[in-house]
Amino acid sequence: MEEIYHLIQQRNAIETVPFLQIHVANTYLRNLVDTLQIRCESLERQYLEQQQLVVDQAQLIQQNAASSSNARPLSSKYENRLREKIAKLQNELNEKLQNEVRSAADALEISKELSSLKEKCTSQDSTISSMQMELGRSNEIIKHLSNELEESKSRARLAENQFGGLKDAIRSLQDENEEKTKLNERLIHDTVAVKEKYMDQFNNMNDTVEKLQNEVNMLRSLSQMNKSWFGLPRCPKNPSATKEDADIEETKSPGRQWGTVGAVLPSQPQFTIEAHKNDASCVRYDGSNRNLVATASSDSTVRVWDTSNGQLQATFSGGGSHPMLGVDISGGIVCGCGADKTCRVWRYDTKRMIHQLAGHSQKITCIRLFPGEKNVFTASADRSMKFQTTTFRHSSTANCSDVSIDTQSVVTGHLDGGIRFWDIRTGERVLDIPDLHNGGITSVQWNPKNSHEVLTNGRDSTLKILDARTNSAVGIFHDPGFRTLTNYASSSFSPDSEYVAACGGENGDVFVWNVAKNALETRLSGHKCGAIGLAWGKGGTNGQQVATIDKSGVLILWA
């Protein structure tokens, strides 16, 4: 406001100063007009006096002429003097008349100029009066602006006081929020502890039920086979029930345990299933050796299938339209991760989600369940890996991961072609092997029979078995027809570690190599487009061990 006041004063000074000289000139002209008017009046009086003198001289001449008719004529000399004097007076009179005419003309011009100056003076006076009025309005505006400035200052002071009060309120709210956050963390910790306690109790109960069921089955089998107890024969009390017990025993009797006898090489498709409508991304067998296999797809679903008959058992939905990129299943727990930056955990028996884990800032690329199904390891495109409250970081994104048999180490494969080993207990990186492949690593897996070896699959279309003790490859597998198509193409050891397998090429063939011979054992065809996911399980109770899935979402369970 003070700047506006100074600007108005400057404008008034600029508009008023040019008219000061005009005002001075107007005063001077007024004085000059008054002087010329006085002079004109004196000249008029002199003119009247000269005219009166001429008239008197003429009368005198006439009187002299009249007297000369009666008296003697004057002498010529005196008459000549009189004539000369009259002529002189006449000339002076003419000059005075001319001077008076010129003076009158000058006075007329001066009066005209005076009139124009008066008009200019009048216009200047009106301009000055208008400027004075404008100056008055400007002063009023300045006064009004000064009042508004004072009001603004008072409001600013009030706002400062209110801002200080808001700061105090925000500070108190922050303190309260911190207290609530700590309380929430304690409640979460207590809830997790209670859940873990209940889960342990539930698992113990399941173990107890399973033991009791095994005892019941054993008693039924002994009763059916008419076995003796402590050397005494035992006869069935109800012979009519022996057939029913025999049927039950036939379905529950111990058969071939595929997870313990070794690997069965795949030979032909046993079930071909249209698992998903969109691109599939991953396939995993149940880690607890049940007859289940899980698949994930870009249709934002995770589906679980029965390997005995190829039937769909459960469908779990992810986050809206975000693709699911990874899946794992074990012990009745199903978990999936995807582009929505979260990890979802479901119970297989209730088909309900029990956890949704958040913390990554970009899509989650892979996920692994720990044995016991109590912990989850995730890796993300934000170049971080998470386990419980521990965050591991590296400059390159991890495409894949796997948990060691002792559950104390995790191996991750990265886009830069290197693999890293992490100690879960300390959160430290214990080994870094860069440039293992020419291109990103798409799959890593610990050797189920040797905790020092890791199988890797790279974008250079090569499989390698790495010995972590010597940091060198002890096996390299490739074939001219084998091509790694995506950053999440998987490979796998056989359960007995005698074979390695992977899918590759645009035709979706399955390649199986013999580890000892370092040679291709078999090449199987069944897919119509590029296959990207492969899993080799223990076989459960039905012996089905190998599953593959392709880009179009077709799942093949191999016999």
Side-chain angles (χ1 to χ4, degrees), residues 427-457:
E428 298 294 332
R429 185 174 59 196
V430 296
L431 183 60
D432 189 340
I433 303 177
D435 303 325
L436 181 63
H437 286 270
N438 295 325
I441 294 179
T442 65
S443 173
V444 292
Q445 184 191 16
W446 290 96
N447 188 330
K449 298 297 182 180
N450 187 343
S451 61
H452 300 293
E453 292 182 351
V454 176
L455 173 66
T456 63
N457 186 6

Short mmCIF file of all heavy atoms in Angstrom, two decimals, residues 427-457:
data_model
loop_
_atom_site.label_atom_id
_atom_site.label_comp_id
_atom_site.label_asym_id
_atom_site.label_seq_id
_atom_site.Cartn_x
_atom_site.Cartn_y
_atom_site.Cartn_z
N GLY A 427 20.55 -60.96 7.34
CA GLY A 427 20.13 -60.00 6.34
C GLY A 427 21.26 -59.53 5.45
O GLY A 427 21.12 -58.52 4.75
N GLU A 428 22.38 -60.24 5.46
CA GLU A 428 23.55 -59.83 4.67
C GLU A 428 23.67 -60.67 3.40
O GLU A 428 23.23 -61.81 3.34
CB GLU A 428 24.83 -59.99 5.51
CG GLU A 428 24.86 -59.14 6.76
CD GLU A 428 24.92 -57.66 6.45
OE1 GLU A 428 25.45 -57.31 5.37
OE2 GLU A 428 24.47 -56.85 7.28
N ARG A 429 24.32 -60.07 2.39
CA ARG A 429 24.65 -60.79 1.16
C ARG A 429 25.97 -61.51 1.38
O ARG A 429 27.00 -60.88 1.62
CB ARG A 429 24.74 -59.82 -0.01
CG ARG A 429 24.96 -60.50 -1.36
CD ARG A 429 24.89 -59.48 -2.47
NE ARG A 429 25.87 -58.44 -2.32
CZ ARG A 429 25.84 -57.26 -2.96
NH1 ARG A 429 24.85 -57.01 -3.78
NH2 ARG A 429 26.77 -56.36 -2.77
N VAL A 430 25.94 -62.84 1.29
CA VAL A 430 27.12 -63.63 1.61
C VAL A 430 27.92 -64.01 0.37
O VAL A 430 29.10 -64.36 0.49
CB VAL A 430 26.72 -64.90 2.39
CG1 VAL A 430 26.11 -64.54 3.73
CG2 VAL A 430 25.74 -65.75 1.59
N LEU A 431 27.30 -63.95 -0.82
CA LEU A 431 28.04 -64.33 -2.03
C LEU A 431 27.40 -63.64 -3.23
O LEU A 431 26.16 -63.56 -3.33
CB LEU A 431 28.01 -65.85 -2.24
CG LEU A 431 28.80 -66.40 -3.44
CD1 LEU A 431 30.27 -66.04 -3.32
CD2 LEU A 431 28.61 -67.91 -3.56
N ASP A 432 28.25 -63.13 -4.12
CA ASP A 432 27.79 -62.42 -5.31
C ASP A 432 28.58 -62.97 -6.50
O ASP A 432 29.80 -62.88 -6.55
CB ASP A 432 28.02 -60.92 -5.17
CG ASP A 432 27.35 -60.14 -6.29
OD1 ASP A 432 27.05 -60.73 -7.34
OD2 ASP A 432 27.12 -58.93 -6.10
N ILE A 433 27.84 -63.58 -7.45
CA ILE A 433 28.49 -64.13 -8.65
C ILE A 433 27.92 -63.37 -9.86
O ILE A 433 26.84 -63.71 -10.36
CB ILE A 433 28.25 -65.63 -8.78
CG1 ILE A 433 28.75 -66.35 -7.52
CG2 ILE A 433 28.95 -66.18 -10.02
CD1 ILE A 433 28.49 -67.84 -7.53
N PRO A 434 28.58 -62.33 -10.33
CA PRO A 434 28.05 -61.55 -11.45
C PRO A 434 28.33 -62.22 -12.79
O PRO A 434 29.22 -63.07 -12.92
CB PRO A 434 28.79 -60.22 -11.32
CG PRO A 434 30.11 -60.59 -10.71
CD PRO A 434 29.83 -61.76 -9.79
N ASP A 435 27.56 -61.82 -13.79
CA ASP A 435 27.79 -62.22 -15.18
C ASP A 435 27.86 -63.73 -15.35
O ASP A 435 28.69 -64.25 -16.12
CB ASP A 435 29.08 -61.58 -15.71
CG ASP A 435 29.06 -60.07 -15.61
OD1 ASP A 435 27.95 -59.50 -15.78
OD2 ASP A 435 30.09 -59.46 -15.36
N LEU A 436 27.01 -64.44 -14.64
CA LEU A 436 26.97 -65.90 -14.80
C LEU A 436 26.39 -66.25 -16.16
O LEU A 436 26.81 -67.23 -16.80
CB LEU A 436 26.15 -66.53 -13.68
CG LEU A 436 26.03 -68.05 -13.70
CD1 LEU A 436 27.40 -68.71 -13.55
CD2 LEU A 436 25.08 -68.53 -12.61
N HIS A 437 25.43 -65.46 -16.64
CA HIS A 437 24.82 -65.65 -17.95
C HIS A 437 24.95 -64.37 -18.75
O HIS A 437 25.05 -63.26 -18.19
CB HIS A 437 23.33 -66.01 -17.81
CG HIS A 437 23.09 -67.41 -17.34
ND1 HIS A 437 22.96 -68.48 -18.19
CD2 HIS A 437 22.94 -67.91 -16.08
CE1 HIS A 437 22.74 -69.58 -17.49
NE2 HIS A 437 22.72 -69.26 -16.20
N ASN A 438 24.93 -64.50 -20.06
CA ASN A 438 24.92 -63.35 -20.95
C ASN A 438 23.46 -62.91 -21.14
O ASN A 438 22.79 -63.28 -22.09
CB ASN A 438 25.55 -63.70 -22.30
CG ASN A 438 27.01 -64.02 -22.19
OD1 ASN A 438 27.71 -63.42 -21.37
ND2 ASN A 438 27.49 -64.97 -22.98
N GLY A 439 22.99 -62.13 -20.21
CA GLY A 439 21.59 -61.74 -20.18
C GLY A 439 21.01 -62.07 -18.82
O GLY A 439 21.67 -62.63 -17.94
N GLY A 440 19.76 -61.71 -18.61
CA GLY A 440 19.13 -61.92 -17.32
C GLY A 440 18.94 -63.38 -16.99
O GLY A 440 18.86 -64.24 -17.86
N ILE A 441 18.87 -63.67 -15.69
CA ILE A 441 18.58 -65.01 -15.20
C ILE A 441 17.08 -65.10 -14.94
O ILE A 441 16.51 -64.24 -14.25
CB ILE A 441 19.39 -65.31 -13.93
CG1 ILE A 441 20.88 -65.35 -14.26
CG2 ILE A 441 18.95 -66.63 -13.30
CD1 ILE A 441 21.77 -65.62 -13.07
N THR A 442 16.46 -66.15 -15.47
CA THR A 442 15.01 -66.28 -15.39
C THR A 442 14.56 -67.28 -14.35
O THR A 442 13.38 -67.27 -13.96
CB THR A 442 14.46 -66.72 -16.76
OG1 THR A 442 14.94 -68.04 -17.08
CG2 THR A 442 14.91 -65.76 -17.85
N SER A 443 15.45 -68.16 -13.87
CA SER A 443 15.05 -69.19 -12.91
C SER A 443 16.25 -69.66 -12.11
O SER A 443 17.36 -69.77 -12.65
CB SER A 443 14.42 -70.39 -13.65
OG SER A 443 14.17 -71.46 -12.76
N VAL A 444 16.04 -69.88 -10.79
CA VAL A 444 17.07 -70.48 -9.93
C VAL A 444 16.40 -71.55 -9.07
O VAL A 444 15.24 -71.42 -8.69
CB VAL A 444 17.76 -69.42 -9.04
CG1 VAL A 444 18.60 -68.47 -9.86
CG2 VAL A 444 16.74 -68.65 -8.22
N GLN A 445 17.15 -72.63 -8.76
CA GLN A 445 16.64 -73.68 -7.88
C GLN A 445 17.79 -74.39 -7.20
O GLN A 445 18.79 -74.74 -7.84
CB GLN A 445 15.80 -74.71 -8.67
CG GLN A 445 15.18 -75.77 -7.78
CD GLN A 445 14.57 -76.91 -8.57
OE1 GLN A 445 14.85 -77.07 -9.75
NE2 GLN A 445 13.74 -77.72 -7.91
N TRP A 446 17.66 -74.57 -5.88
CA TRP A 446 18.65 -75.35 -5.14
C TRP A 446 18.53 -76.82 -5.54
O TRP A 446 17.43 -77.33 -5.78
CB TRP A 446 18.42 -75.22 -3.64
CG TRP A 446 18.73 -73.88 -3.06
CD1 TRP A 446 17.87 -72.87 -2.83
CD2 TRP A 446 20.00 -73.41 -2.63
NE1 TRP A 446 18.50 -71.79 -2.28
CE2 TRP A 446 19.83 -72.10 -2.14
CE3 TRP A 446 21.29 -73.96 -2.61
CZ2 TRP A 446 20.87 -71.34 -1.63
CZ3 TRP A 446 22.32 -73.20 -2.10
CH2 TRP A 446 22.12 -71.91 -1.62
N ASN A 447 19.67 -77.50 -5.56
CA ASN A 447 19.67 -78.94 -5.82
C ASN A 447 19.05 -79.64 -4.60
O ASN A 447 19.51 -79.47 -3.47
CB ASN A 447 21.11 -79.42 -6.02
CG ASN A 447 21.18 -80.85 -6.49
OD1 ASN A 447 20.33 -81.68 -6.18
ND2 ASN A 447 22.24 -81.17 -7.23
N PRO A 448 17.96 -80.42 -4.79
CA PRO A 448 17.31 -81.05 -3.63
C PRO A 448 18.18 -82.08 -2.94
O PRO A 448 17.88 -82.47 -1.80
CB PRO A 448 16.06 -81.70 -4.25
CG PRO A 448 16.37 -81.85 -5.70
CD PRO A 448 17.27 -80.71 -6.06
N LYS A 449 19.25 -82.54 -3.58
CA LYS A 449 20.13 -83.54 -2.98
C LYS A 449 21.50 -82.98 -2.59
O LYS A 449 22.30 -83.68 -1.97
CB LYS A 449 20.34 -84.71 -3.95
CG LYS A 449 19.08 -85.46 -4.31
CD LYS A 449 18.45 -86.13 -3.08
CE LYS A 449 17.21 -86.92 -3.46
NZ LYS A 449 16.61 -87.58 -2.28
N ASN A 450 21.78 -81.73 -2.96
CA ASN A 450 23.08 -81.14 -2.68
C ASN A 450 22.87 -79.66 -2.39
O ASN A 450 22.52 -78.88 -3.28
CB ASN A 450 24.03 -81.34 -3.87
CG ASN A 450 25.45 -80.89 -3.56
OD1 ASN A 450 25.69 -80.17 -2.60
ND2 ASN A 450 26.40 -81.35 -4.36
N SER A 451 23.07 -79.28 -1.14
CA SER A 451 22.78 -77.89 -0.73
C SER A 451 23.82 -76.89 -1.22
O SER A 451 23.69 -75.70 -0.94
CB SER A 451 22.70 -77.82 0.80
OG SER A 451 23.94 -78.20 1.39
N HIS A 452 24.85 -77.34 -1.96
CA HIS A 452 25.87 -76.42 -2.47
C HIS A 452 25.69 -76.11 -3.95
O HIS A 452 26.45 -75.32 -4.50
CB HIS A 452 27.28 -77.00 -2.25
CG HIS A 452 27.60 -77.27 -0.82
ND1 HIS A 452 27.74 -76.27 0.12
CD2 HIS A 452 27.79 -78.45 -0.15
CE1 HIS A 452 28.03 -76.80 1.29
NE2 HIS A 452 28.06 -78.13 1.16
N GLU A 453 24.72 -76.74 -4.60
CA GLU A 453 24.56 -76.55 -6.04
C GLU A 453 23.23 -75.85 -6.33
O GLU A 453 22.21 -76.09 -5.66
CB GLU A 453 24.60 -77.90 -6.76
CG GLU A 453 25.97 -78.56 -6.71
CD GLU A 453 26.01 -79.87 -7.47
OE1 GLU A 453 24.94 -80.35 -7.90
OE2 GLU A 453 27.11 -80.41 -7.64
N VAL A 454 23.26 -75.01 -7.38
CA VAL A 454 22.10 -74.23 -7.80
C VAL A 454 21.95 -74.36 -9.31
O VAL A 454 22.94 -74.23 -10.06
CB VAL A 454 22.25 -72.74 -7.41
CG1 VAL A 454 21.07 -71.93 -7.95
CG2 VAL A 454 22.35 -72.59 -5.90
N LEU A 455 20.73 -74.59 -9.76
CA LEU A 455 20.42 -74.65 -11.19
C LEU A 455 19.92 -73.28 -11.63
O LEU A 455 19.04 -72.69 -10.99
CB LEU A 455 19.36 -75.71 -11.48
CG LEU A 455 18.81 -75.76 -12.91
CD1 LEU A 455 19.90 -76.18 -13.89
CD2 LEU A 455 17.62 -76.70 -13.00
N THR A 456 20.47 -72.77 -12.74
CA THR A 456 20.06 -71.47 -13.27
C THR A 456 19.66 -71.60 -14.73
O THR A 456 20.17 -72.46 -15.46
CB THR A 456 21.20 -70.43 -13.15
OG1 THR A 456 22.30 -70.86 -13.96
CG2 THR A 456 21.64 -70.28 -11.71
N ASN A 457 18.75 -70.73 -15.15
CA ASN A 457 18.33 -70.62 -16.56
C ASN A 457 18.49 -69.17 -16.97
O ASN A 457 18.05 -68.27 -16.23
CB ASN A 457 16.88 -71.08 -16.73
CG ASN A 457 16.47 -71.12 -18.20
OD1 ASN A 457 17.28 -70.92 -19.10
ND2 ASN A 457 15.20 -71.36 -18.45
#
